[in-house]
Amino acid sequence: YQGGGSAEEIHKMTERPTTYNITAKPLRHLHTSGMRGEVYELTNTTETTLNLVEKDFYRLGDYALSIGKKQLESSEKTLLVVVRHG
């Protein structure tokens, strides 16, 4: 286990581009044996309900994605967990 989420390590995580009008705030990461786990807090910044789809968050090098709650009301938050090559 390396990392874990110091302010400096989290700052190095890049925000994940999406097609949604949300914020994706990096929270934590884990780096071990060529794999990297990243956790983001997603916040719906719109006035409407959003239906989130994991494939819309995919980036090259990702092995797996998981969204805690796929339907977000206005201002609601959930977690995005990403496992990627790293």
Side-chain angles (χ1 to χ4, degrees), residues 18-34:
T18 71
T19 58
Y20 303 99
N21 194 10
I22 62 171
T23 59
K25 175 183 169 187
L27 296 179
R28 297 188 62 80
H29 84 276
L30 168 78
H31 188 112
T32 183
S33 301

Side-chain angles (χ1 to χ4, degrees), residues 56-85:
D56 293 339
F57 293 87
Y58 174 82
R59 290 193 319 199
L60 189 61
D62 290 347
Y63 292 128
L65 298 161
S66 178
I67 297 173
K69 186 173 182 184
K70 294 186 174 75
Q71 187 174 49
L72 291 183
E73 302 297 327
S74 180
S75 302
E76 194 171 16
K77 298 177 182 185
T78 193
L79 295 180
L80 167 67
V81 178
V82 180
V83 178
R84 60 181 290 110
H85 178 74

